[in-house]
mmCIF file of all heavy atoms in Angstrom:
data_model
loop_
_atom_site.group_PDB
_atom_site.id
_atom_site.type_symbol
_atom_site.label_atom_id
_atom_site.label_comp_id
_atom_site.label_asym_id
_atom_site.label_seq_id
_atom_site.Cartn_x
_atom_site.Cartn_y
_atom_site.Cartn_z
ATOM 1 N N ALA A 333 35.022 -91.959 -154.309
ATOM 2 C CA ALA A 333 35.643 -91.088 -153.314
ATOM 3 C C ALA A 333 35.071 -89.676 -153.406
ATOM 4 O O ALA A 333 34.847 -89.036 -152.349
ATOM 5 C CB ALA A 333 37.151 -91.019 -153.594
ATOM 6 N N GLY A 334 34.701 -89.265 -154.616
ATOM 7 C CA GLY A 334 34.091 -87.945 -154.752
ATOM 8 C C GLY A 334 32.735 -87.909 -154.022
ATOM 9 O O GLY A 334 32.404 -86.926 -153.366
ATOM 10 N N VAL A 335 31.990 -88.959 -154.142
ATOM 11 C CA VAL A 335 30.683 -89.016 -153.437
ATOM 12 C C VAL A 335 30.888 -89.005 -151.956
ATOM 13 O O VAL A 335 30.169 -88.331 -151.175
ATOM 14 C CB VAL A 335 29.909 -90.296 -153.874
ATOM 15 C CG1 VAL A 335 28.655 -90.408 -153.053
ATOM 16 C CG2 VAL A 335 29.556 -90.244 -155.336
ATOM 17 N N ALA A 336 31.901 -89.742 -151.464
ATOM 18 C CA ALA A 336 32.162 -89.732 -150.040
ATOM 19 C C ALA A 336 32.549 -88.360 -149.563
ATOM 20 O O ALA A 336 32.122 -87.926 -148.464
ATOM 21 C CB ALA A 336 33.293 -90.740 -149.716
ATOM 22 N N ASN A 337 33.333 -87.645 -150.384
ATOM 23 C CA ASN A 337 33.697 -86.252 -149.976
ATOM 24 C C ASN A 337 32.490 -85.367 -149.946
ATOM 25 O O ASN A 337 32.350 -84.506 -149.052
ATOM 26 C CB ASN A 337 34.726 -85.715 -150.965
ATOM 27 C CG ASN A 337 36.098 -86.343 -150.794
ATOM 28 O OD1 ASN A 337 36.402 -86.840 -149.716
ATOM 29 N ND2 ASN A 337 36.892 -86.331 -151.868
ATOM 30 N N ILE A 338 31.578 -85.566 -150.880
ATOM 31 C CA ILE A 338 30.349 -84.772 -150.864
ATOM 32 C C ILE A 338 29.583 -85.035 -149.573
ATOM 33 O O ILE A 338 29.064 -84.119 -148.920
ATOM 34 C CB ILE A 338 29.467 -85.146 -152.090
ATOM 35 C CG1 ILE A 338 30.146 -84.642 -153.361
ATOM 36 C CG2 ILE A 338 28.084 -84.491 -151.968
ATOM 37 C CD1 ILE A 338 29.462 -85.164 -154.627
ATOM 38 N N GLY A 339 29.529 -86.346 -149.199
ATOM 39 C CA GLY A 339 28.815 -86.647 -147.963
ATOM 40 C C GLY A 339 29.445 -85.995 -146.752
ATOM 41 O O GLY A 339 28.724 -85.473 -145.874
ATOM 42 N N ALA A 340 30.776 -85.981 -146.704
ATOM 43 C CA ALA A 340 31.451 -85.388 -145.552
ATOM 44 C C ALA A 340 31.174 -83.890 -145.539
ATOM 45 O O ALA A 340 30.998 -83.291 -144.435
ATOM 46 C CB ALA A 340 32.938 -85.631 -145.619
ATOM 47 N N GLN A 341 31.142 -83.237 -146.703
ATOM 48 C CA GLN A 341 30.897 -81.822 -146.746
ATOM 49 C C GLN A 341 29.433 -81.467 -146.502
ATOM 50 O O GLN A 341 29.105 -80.369 -145.994
ATOM 51 C CB GLN A 341 31.322 -81.266 -148.099
ATOM 52 C CG GLN A 341 32.825 -81.401 -148.360
ATOM 53 C CD GLN A 341 33.199 -81.153 -149.790
ATOM 54 O OE1 GLN A 341 32.341 -80.766 -150.605
ATOM 55 N NE2 GLN A 341 34.454 -81.361 -150.150
ATOM 56 N N ALA A 342 28.527 -82.411 -146.861
ATOM 57 C CA ALA A 342 27.118 -82.121 -146.756
ATOM 58 C C ALA A 342 26.645 -82.087 -145.339
ATOM 59 O O ALA A 342 25.676 -81.370 -144.990
ATOM 60 C CB ALA A 342 26.312 -83.154 -147.540
ATOM 61 N N LEU A 343 27.304 -82.857 -144.467
ATOM 62 C CA LEU A 343 26.842 -82.946 -143.100
ATOM 63 C C LEU A 343 27.535 -81.898 -142.239
ATOM 64 O O LEU A 343 28.762 -81.887 -142.113
ATOM 65 C CB LEU A 343 27.171 -84.364 -142.551
ATOM 66 C CG LEU A 343 26.441 -85.510 -143.308
ATOM 67 C CD1 LEU A 343 26.904 -86.821 -142.707
ATOM 68 C CD2 LEU A 343 24.965 -85.365 -143.237
ATOM 69 N N ALA A 344 26.717 -81.014 -141.666
ATOM 70 C CA ALA A 344 27.290 -79.972 -140.820
ATOM 71 C C ALA A 344 27.888 -80.625 -139.547
ATOM 72 O O ALA A 344 27.319 -81.572 -139.012
ATOM 73 C CB ALA A 344 26.221 -79.000 -140.420
ATOM 74 N N LYS A 345 29.007 -80.118 -139.141
ATOM 75 C CA LYS A 345 29.668 -80.621 -137.918
ATOM 76 C C LYS A 345 29.177 -79.826 -136.735
ATOM 77 O O LYS A 345 28.857 -78.630 -136.835
ATOM 78 C CB LYS A 345 31.194 -80.542 -138.076
ATOM 79 C CG LYS A 345 31.737 -81.319 -139.234
ATOM 80 C CD LYS A 345 31.338 -82.769 -139.255
ATOM 81 C CE LYS A 345 31.886 -83.531 -140.449
ATOM 82 N NZ LYS A 345 31.400 -84.903 -140.493
ATOM 83 N N PRO A 346 29.140 -80.447 -135.552
ATOM 84 C CA PRO A 346 28.715 -79.709 -134.363
ATOM 85 C C PRO A 346 29.589 -78.458 -134.140
ATOM 86 O O PRO A 346 30.808 -78.538 -134.282
ATOM 87 C CB PRO A 346 28.880 -80.753 -133.223
ATOM 88 C CG PRO A 346 28.816 -82.072 -133.899
ATOM 89 C CD PRO A 346 29.442 -81.849 -135.242
ATOM 90 N N PRO A 347 29.008 -77.379 -133.768
ATOM 91 C CA PRO A 347 29.815 -76.170 -133.457
ATOM 92 C C PRO A 347 30.529 -76.309 -132.142
ATOM 93 O O PRO A 347 30.216 -77.202 -131.359
ATOM 94 C CB PRO A 347 28.759 -75.088 -133.436
ATOM 95 C CG PRO A 347 27.546 -75.762 -132.934
ATOM 96 C CD PRO A 347 27.555 -77.148 -133.539
ATOM 97 N N LEU A 348 31.476 -75.451 -131.942
ATOM 98 C CA LEU A 348 32.113 -75.394 -130.625
ATOM 99 C C LEU A 348 31.132 -74.827 -129.605
ATOM 100 O O LEU A 348 30.281 -74.007 -129.931
ATOM 101 C CB LEU A 348 33.361 -74.526 -130.686
ATOM 102 C CG LEU A 348 34.509 -74.986 -131.571
ATOM 103 C CD1 LEU A 348 35.597 -73.946 -131.630
ATOM 104 C CD2 LEU A 348 35.043 -76.343 -131.146
ATOM 105 N N VAL A 349 31.261 -75.301 -128.365
ATOM 106 C CA VAL A 349 30.410 -74.768 -127.295
ATOM 107 C C VAL A 349 30.854 -73.343 -126.984
ATOM 108 O O VAL A 349 32.048 -73.103 -126.707
ATOM 109 C CB VAL A 349 30.479 -75.614 -126.030
ATOM 110 C CG1 VAL A 349 29.622 -75.047 -124.934
ATOM 111 C CG2 VAL A 349 30.058 -77.055 -126.349
ATOM 112 N N ARG A 350 29.956 -72.417 -127.061
ATOM 113 C CA ARG A 350 30.318 -71.029 -126.761
ATOM 114 C C ARG A 350 30.454 -70.833 -125.243
ATOM 115 O O ARG A 350 29.858 -71.561 -124.473
ATOM 116 C CB ARG A 350 29.291 -70.054 -127.319
ATOM 117 C CG ARG A 350 29.319 -69.985 -128.828
ATOM 118 C CD ARG A 350 28.433 -68.900 -129.399
ATOM 119 N NE ARG A 350 28.524 -68.891 -130.864
ATOM 120 C CZ ARG A 350 29.222 -67.990 -131.542
ATOM 121 N NH1 ARG A 350 29.910 -67.063 -130.888
ATOM 122 N NH2 ARG A 350 29.257 -67.999 -132.836
ATOM 123 N N GLY A 351 31.283 -69.884 -124.873
ATOM 124 C CA GLY A 351 31.602 -69.729 -123.459
ATOM 125 C C GLY A 351 30.468 -69.128 -122.617
ATOM 126 O O GLY A 351 29.365 -68.893 -123.083
ATOM 127 N N SER A 352 30.817 -68.916 -121.385
ATOM 128 C CA SER A 352 29.840 -68.421 -120.395
ATOM 129 C C SER A 352 29.372 -66.991 -120.769
ATOM 130 O O SER A 352 30.175 -66.176 -121.238
ATOM 131 C CB SER A 352 30.439 -68.466 -119.015
ATOM 132 O OG SER A 352 29.607 -67.821 -118.074
ATOM 133 N N VAL A 353 28.128 -66.743 -120.503
ATOM 134 C CA VAL A 353 27.581 -65.398 -120.647
ATOM 135 C C VAL A 353 27.412 -64.710 -119.287
ATOM 136 O O VAL A 353 26.880 -63.589 -119.217
ATOM 137 C CB VAL A 353 26.289 -65.390 -121.422
ATOM 138 C CG1 VAL A 353 26.444 -65.872 -122.812
ATOM 139 C CG2 VAL A 353 25.186 -66.167 -120.672
ATOM 140 N N SER A 354 27.800 -65.421 -118.230
ATOM 141 C CA SER A 354 27.523 -64.906 -116.867
ATOM 142 C C SER A 354 28.738 -64.284 -116.175
ATOM 143 O O SER A 354 28.628 -63.915 -115.026
ATOM 144 C CB SER A 354 26.966 -66.053 -115.995
ATOM 145 O OG SER A 354 27.958 -67.090 -115.864
ATOM 146 N N GLN A 355 29.848 -64.189 -116.873
ATOM 147 C CA GLN A 355 31.053 -63.587 -116.302
ATOM 148 C C GLN A 355 31.379 -62.294 -117.025
ATOM 149 O O GLN A 355 31.465 -62.268 -118.258
ATOM 150 C CB GLN A 355 32.238 -64.551 -116.413
ATOM 151 C CG GLN A 355 32.013 -65.900 -115.715
ATOM 152 C CD GLN A 355 31.943 -65.719 -114.200
ATOM 153 O OE1 GLN A 355 32.673 -64.934 -113.613
ATOM 154 N NE2 GLN A 355 31.082 -66.499 -113.571
ATOM 155 N N ILE A 356 31.572 -61.239 -116.278
ATOM 156 C CA ILE A 356 31.986 -59.952 -116.877
ATOM 157 C C ILE A 356 33.337 -60.114 -117.541
ATOM 158 O O ILE A 356 34.264 -60.701 -116.937
ATOM 159 C CB ILE A 356 32.057 -58.832 -115.825
ATOM 160 C CG1 ILE A 356 30.626 -58.499 -115.302
ATOM 161 C CG2 ILE A 356 32.687 -57.576 -116.418
ATOM 162 C CD1 ILE A 356 30.617 -57.469 -114.221
ATOM 163 N N GLN A 357 33.464 -59.657 -118.763
ATOM 164 C CA GLN A 357 34.731 -59.793 -119.497
ATOM 165 C C GLN A 357 35.488 -58.489 -119.466
ATOM 166 O O GLN A 357 34.904 -57.419 -119.651
ATOM 167 C CB GLN A 357 34.446 -60.216 -120.938
ATOM 168 C CG GLN A 357 33.682 -61.571 -121.003
ATOM 169 C CD GLN A 357 33.452 -62.034 -122.392
ATOM 170 O OE1 GLN A 357 34.415 -62.153 -123.201
ATOM 171 N NE2 GLN A 357 32.210 -62.316 -122.769
ATOM 172 N N ILE A 358 36.786 -58.614 -119.249
ATOM 173 C CA ILE A 358 37.653 -57.453 -119.100
ATOM 174 C C ILE A 358 38.797 -57.631 -120.105
ATOM 175 O O ILE A 358 39.477 -58.637 -120.137
ATOM 176 C CB ILE A 358 38.220 -57.344 -117.684
ATOM 177 C CG1 ILE A 358 37.088 -57.273 -116.651
ATOM 178 C CG2 ILE A 358 39.136 -56.114 -117.555
ATOM 179 C CD1 ILE A 358 37.545 -57.310 -115.233
ATOM 180 N N ALA A 359 38.999 -56.604 -120.950
ATOM 181 C CA ALA A 359 40.053 -56.677 -121.928
ATOM 182 C C ALA A 359 40.471 -55.250 -122.294
ATOM 183 O O ALA A 359 39.665 -54.342 -122.274
ATOM 184 C CB ALA A 359 39.584 -57.434 -123.172
ATOM 185 N N THR A 360 41.764 -55.123 -122.608
ATOM 186 C CA THR A 360 42.279 -53.773 -122.996
ATOM 187 C C THR A 360 41.743 -53.365 -124.365
ATOM 188 O O THR A 360 41.498 -52.200 -124.610
ATOM 189 C CB THR A 360 43.787 -53.766 -123.002
ATOM 190 O OG1 THR A 360 44.250 -54.831 -123.845
ATOM 191 C CG2 THR A 360 44.340 -53.981 -121.586
ATOM 192 N N ASP A 361 41.540 -54.348 -125.241
ATOM 193 C CA ASP A 361 41.007 -54.062 -126.549
ATOM 194 C C ASP A 361 39.785 -54.972 -126.744
ATOM 195 O O ASP A 361 39.818 -55.987 -127.446
ATOM 196 C CB ASP A 361 42.032 -54.352 -127.630
ATOM 197 C CG ASP A 361 41.603 -53.882 -129.003
ATOM 198 O OD1 ASP A 361 40.604 -53.155 -129.073
ATOM 199 O OD2 ASP A 361 42.262 -54.240 -130.004
ATOM 200 N N ALA A 362 38.707 -54.635 -126.071
ATOM 201 C CA ALA A 362 37.546 -55.516 -125.947
ATOM 202 C C ALA A 362 36.848 -55.709 -127.275
ATOM 203 O O ALA A 362 36.820 -54.839 -128.134
ATOM 204 C CB ALA A 362 36.541 -54.937 -124.944
ATOM 205 N N LEU A 363 36.281 -56.922 -127.438
ATOM 206 C CA LEU A 363 35.497 -57.213 -128.621
ATOM 207 C C LEU A 363 34.127 -56.506 -128.558
ATOM 208 O O LEU A 363 33.751 -55.975 -127.530
ATOM 209 C CB LEU A 363 35.254 -58.755 -128.689
ATOM 210 C CG LEU A 363 36.503 -59.632 -128.847
ATOM 211 C CD1 LEU A 363 36.131 -61.088 -128.746
ATOM 212 C CD2 LEU A 363 37.242 -59.336 -130.141
ATOM 213 N N GLN A 364 33.470 -56.514 -129.679
ATOM 214 C CA GLN A 364 32.119 -55.922 -129.727
ATOM 215 C C GLN A 364 31.089 -57.025 -129.568
ATOM 216 O O GLN A 364 30.968 -57.947 -130.372
ATOM 217 C CB GLN A 364 31.941 -55.272 -131.121
ATOM 218 C CG GLN A 364 30.537 -54.890 -131.454
ATOM 219 C CD GLN A 364 30.237 -53.415 -131.170
ATOM 220 O OE1 GLN A 364 30.475 -52.961 -130.076
ATOM 221 N NE2 GLN A 364 29.738 -52.720 -132.163
ATOM 222 N N PRO A 365 30.304 -57.017 -128.473
ATOM 223 C CA PRO A 365 29.268 -58.004 -128.285
ATOM 224 C C PRO A 365 27.998 -57.609 -129.060
ATOM 225 O O PRO A 365 27.717 -56.448 -129.247
ATOM 226 C CB PRO A 365 29.041 -57.991 -126.777
ATOM 227 C CG PRO A 365 29.328 -56.586 -126.366
ATOM 228 C CD PRO A 365 30.416 -56.098 -127.306
ATOM 229 N N TYR A 366 27.279 -58.655 -129.480
ATOM 230 C CA TYR A 366 26.020 -58.440 -130.220
ATOM 231 C C TYR A 366 25.011 -59.459 -129.663
ATOM 232 O O TYR A 366 25.123 -60.654 -129.907
ATOM 233 C CB TYR A 366 26.291 -58.643 -131.687
ATOM 234 C CG TYR A 366 25.091 -58.438 -132.592
ATOM 235 C CD1 TYR A 366 24.527 -57.213 -132.821
ATOM 236 C CD2 TYR A 366 24.535 -59.536 -133.263
ATOM 237 C CE1 TYR A 366 23.487 -57.012 -133.691
ATOM 238 C CE2 TYR A 366 23.459 -59.369 -134.143
ATOM 239 C CZ TYR A 366 22.913 -58.111 -134.352
ATOM 240 O OH TYR A 366 21.851 -57.936 -135.189
ATOM 241 N N CYS A 367 24.055 -58.956 -128.906
ATOM 242 C CA CYS A 367 23.074 -59.815 -128.203
ATOM 243 C C CYS A 367 21.798 -59.915 -129.053
ATOM 244 O O CYS A 367 21.228 -58.894 -129.450
ATOM 245 C CB CYS A 367 22.745 -59.214 -126.832
ATOM 246 S SG CYS A 367 23.968 -59.552 -125.557
ATOM 247 N N MET A 368 21.328 -61.166 -129.203
ATOM 248 C CA MET A 368 20.140 -61.427 -129.951
ATOM 249 C C MET A 368 19.146 -62.216 -129.080
ATOM 250 O O MET A 368 19.572 -63.042 -128.260
ATOM 251 C CB MET A 368 20.468 -62.238 -131.211
ATOM 252 C CG MET A 368 21.361 -61.499 -132.182
ATOM 253 S SD MET A 368 22.106 -62.621 -133.414
ATOM 254 C CE MET A 368 23.349 -63.416 -132.420
ATOM 255 N N GLY A 369 17.861 -62.002 -129.313
ATOM 256 C CA GLY A 369 16.863 -62.761 -128.579
ATOM 257 C C GLY A 369 16.663 -62.211 -127.160
ATOM 258 O O GLY A 369 16.872 -60.991 -126.911
ATOM 259 N N GLU A 370 16.210 -63.064 -126.271
ATOM 260 C CA GLU A 370 15.884 -62.650 -124.934
ATOM 261 C C GLU A 370 16.675 -63.459 -123.906
ATOM 262 O O GLU A 370 16.582 -64.721 -123.903
ATOM 263 C CB GLU A 370 14.395 -62.833 -124.660
ATOM 264 C CG GLU A 370 13.970 -62.407 -123.240
ATOM 265 C CD GLU A 370 12.453 -62.427 -123.082
ATOM 266 O OE1 GLU A 370 11.731 -62.717 -124.049
ATOM 267 O OE2 GLU A 370 11.986 -62.183 -121.933
ATOM 268 N N GLY A 371 17.488 -62.766 -123.094
ATOM 269 C CA GLY A 371 18.271 -63.520 -122.108
ATOM 270 C C GLY A 371 19.187 -62.607 -121.309
ATOM 271 O O GLY A 371 19.127 -61.360 -121.387
#
Side-chain angles (χ1 to χ4, degrees):
V335 175
N337 288 336
I338 292 170
Q341 296 167 6
L343 299 176
K345 302 303 180 184
L348 297 175
V349 179
R350 291 188 178 257
S352 172
V353 297
S354 61
Q355 301 293 321
I356 293 178
Q357 301 184 53
I358 303 173
T360 55
D361 189 12
L363 299 174
Q364 168 97 307
Y366 181 70
C367 281
M368 296 165 284
E370 180 173 356

